[in-house]
mmCIF file of all heavy atoms in Angstrom:
data_model
loop_
_atom_site.group_PDB
_atom_site.id
_atom_site.type_symbol
_atom_site.label_atom_id
_atom_site.label_comp_id
_atom_site.label_asym_id
_atom_site.label_seq_id
_atom_site.Cartn_x
_atom_site.Cartn_y
_atom_site.Cartn_z
ATOM 1 N N LEU C 86 5.772 -4.867 -3.691
ATOM 2 C CA LEU C 86 7.028 -5.379 -3.135
ATOM 3 C C LEU C 86 7.910 -6.071 -4.175
ATOM 4 O O LEU C 86 9.024 -6.481 -3.854
ATOM 5 C CB LEU C 86 6.767 -6.266 -1.922
ATOM 6 C CG LEU C 86 6.225 -5.476 -0.724
ATOM 7 C CD1 LEU C 86 6.188 -6.340 0.526
ATOM 8 C CD2 LEU C 86 7.023 -4.201 -0.463
ATOM 9 N N LEU C 89 10.719 -3.173 -4.194
ATOM 10 C CA LEU C 89 10.958 -2.744 -2.811
ATOM 11 C C LEU C 89 11.753 -1.437 -2.719
ATOM 12 O O LEU C 89 11.420 -0.540 -1.945
ATOM 13 C CB LEU C 89 11.684 -3.861 -2.050
ATOM 14 C CG LEU C 89 12.021 -3.580 -0.594
ATOM 15 C CD1 LEU C 89 10.776 -3.329 0.228
ATOM 16 C CD2 LEU C 89 12.810 -4.736 0.015
ATOM 17 N N THR C 115 2.154 -10.528 -0.917
ATOM 18 C CA THR C 115 3.269 -11.395 -0.537
ATOM 19 C C THR C 115 3.331 -11.512 0.981
ATOM 20 O O THR C 115 2.604 -10.832 1.697
ATOM 21 C CB THR C 115 4.625 -10.824 -1.034
ATOM 22 O OG1 THR C 115 4.928 -9.644 -0.281
ATOM 23 C CG2 THR C 115 4.582 -10.492 -2.512
ATOM 24 N N ALA C 116 4.241 -12.346 1.445
ATOM 25 C CA ALA C 116 4.547 -12.451 2.880
ATOM 26 C C ALA C 116 5.973 -11.934 3.038
ATOM 27 O O ALA C 116 6.925 -12.708 2.925
ATOM 28 C CB ALA C 116 4.438 -13.904 3.340
ATOM 29 N N PRO C 117 6.142 -10.626 3.277
ATOM 30 C CA PRO C 117 7.501 -10.071 3.294
ATOM 31 C C PRO C 117 8.398 -10.742 4.333
ATOM 32 O O PRO C 117 7.958 -11.038 5.438
ATOM 33 C CB PRO C 117 7.288 -8.591 3.650
ATOM 34 C CG PRO C 117 5.837 -8.329 3.560
ATOM 35 C CD PRO C 117 5.109 -9.624 3.544
ATOM 36 N N ARG C 118 9.651 -10.969 3.903
ATOM 37 C CA ARG C 118 10.639 -11.550 4.820
ATOM 38 C C ARG C 118 11.108 -10.479 5.810
ATOM 39 O O ARG C 118 10.886 -9.276 5.593
ATOM 40 C CB ARG C 118 11.846 -12.073 4.025
ATOM 41 C CG ARG C 118 11.490 -13.192 3.055
ATOM 42 C CD ARG C 118 12.747 -13.709 2.362
ATOM 43 N NE ARG C 118 13.539 -12.627 1.779
ATOM 44 C CZ ARG C 118 13.404 -12.164 0.550
ATOM 45 N NH1 ARG C 118 12.506 -12.683 -0.261
ATOM 46 N NH2 ARG C 118 14.170 -11.183 0.103
ATOM 47 N N ASP C 119 11.818 -10.922 6.877
ATOM 48 C CA ASP C 119 12.276 -9.980 7.908
ATOM 49 C C ASP C 119 13.079 -8.822 7.317
ATOM 50 O O ASP C 119 12.893 -7.670 7.701
ATOM 51 C CB ASP C 119 13.141 -10.713 8.946
ATOM 52 C CG ASP C 119 12.289 -11.543 9.888
ATOM 53 O OD1 ASP C 119 11.036 -11.470 9.793
ATOM 54 O OD2 ASP C 119 12.868 -12.261 10.715
ATOM 55 N N GLU C 120 13.981 -9.129 6.364
ATOM 56 C CA GLU C 120 14.826 -8.062 5.783
ATOM 57 C C GLU C 120 13.959 -7.040 5.060
ATOM 58 O O GLU C 120 14.227 -5.842 5.099
ATOM 59 C CB GLU C 120 15.833 -8.602 4.743
ATOM 60 C CG GLU C 120 16.581 -9.829 5.124
ATOM 61 C CD GLU C 120 15.789 -11.097 4.830
ATOM 62 O OE1 GLU C 120 15.744 -11.538 3.668
ATOM 63 O OE2 GLU C 120 15.212 -11.636 5.795
ATOM 64 N N GLU C 121 12.914 -7.533 4.385
ATOM 65 C CA GLU C 121 12.032 -6.602 3.664
ATOM 66 C C GLU C 121 11.249 -5.731 4.650
ATOM 67 O O GLU C 121 11.091 -4.526 4.449
ATOM 68 C CB GLU C 121 11.070 -7.383 2.772
ATOM 69 C CG GLU C 121 11.769 -8.102 1.641
ATOM 70 C CD GLU C 121 10.819 -9.012 0.864
ATOM 71 O OE1 GLU C 121 10.259 -9.949 1.479
ATOM 72 O OE2 GLU C 121 10.651 -8.773 -0.337
ATOM 73 N N LEU C 122 10.772 -6.361 5.731
ATOM 74 C CA LEU C 122 10.031 -5.594 6.745
ATOM 75 C C LEU C 122 10.929 -4.535 7.366
ATOM 76 O O LEU C 122 10.505 -3.396 7.596
ATOM 77 C CB LEU C 122 9.494 -6.536 7.831
ATOM 78 C CG LEU C 122 8.367 -7.476 7.397
ATOM 79 C CD1 LEU C 122 8.065 -8.492 8.499
ATOM 80 C CD2 LEU C 122 7.099 -6.704 7.043
ATOM 81 N N LYS C 123 12.193 -4.909 7.598
ATOM 82 C CA LYS C 123 13.127 -3.936 8.200
ATOM 83 C C LYS C 123 13.367 -2.778 7.259
ATOM 84 O O LYS C 123 13.421 -1.616 7.672
ATOM 85 C CB LYS C 123 14.450 -4.632 8.537
ATOM 86 C CG LYS C 123 14.359 -5.359 9.853
ATOM 87 C CD LYS C 123 15.698 -5.939 10.294
ATOM 88 C CE LYS C 123 15.464 -6.847 11.490
ATOM 89 N NZ LYS C 123 16.241 -8.083 11.430
ATOM 90 N N GLU C 124 13.520 -3.075 5.991
ATOM 91 C CA GLU C 124 13.741 -2.013 4.995
ATOM 92 C C GLU C 124 12.536 -1.058 4.966
ATOM 93 O O GLU C 124 12.684 0.161 4.946
ATOM 94 C CB GLU C 124 13.945 -2.672 3.621
ATOM 95 C CG GLU C 124 13.973 -1.743 2.435
ATOM 96 C CD GLU C 124 15.312 -1.039 2.254
ATOM 97 O OE1 GLU C 124 16.328 -1.607 2.663
ATOM 98 O OE2 GLU C 124 15.295 0.092 1.716
ATOM 99 N N LEU C 125 11.350 -1.628 4.989
ATOM 100 C CA LEU C 125 10.126 -0.805 4.951
ATOM 101 C C LEU C 125 9.986 0.021 6.225
ATOM 102 O O LEU C 125 9.671 1.218 6.178
ATOM 103 C CB LEU C 125 8.895 -1.705 4.775
ATOM 104 C CG LEU C 125 8.799 -2.421 3.424
ATOM 105 C CD1 LEU C 125 7.767 -3.534 3.482
ATOM 106 C CD2 LEU C 125 8.461 -1.431 2.314
ATOM 107 N N SER C 153 5.023 -13.513 8.814
ATOM 108 C CA SER C 153 5.279 -12.152 8.361
ATOM 109 C C SER C 153 4.376 -11.162 9.098
ATOM 110 O O SER C 153 4.813 -10.090 9.547
ATOM 111 C CB SER C 153 5.028 -12.104 6.859
ATOM 112 O OG SER C 153 5.375 -10.857 6.349
ATOM 113 N N ALA C 156 5.579 -10.722 12.600
ATOM 114 C CA ALA C 156 6.814 -9.920 12.633
ATOM 115 C C ALA C 156 6.496 -8.452 12.346
ATOM 116 O O ALA C 156 7.062 -7.548 12.974
ATOM 117 C CB ALA C 156 7.807 -10.450 11.609
#
Side-chain angles (χ1 to χ4, degrees):
L86 292 189
L89 180 61
T115 70
R118 298 183 309 270
D119 284 355
E120 314 84 79
E121 293 173 299
L122 290 172
K123 278 186 190 138
E124 171 80 28
L125 293 166
S153 185

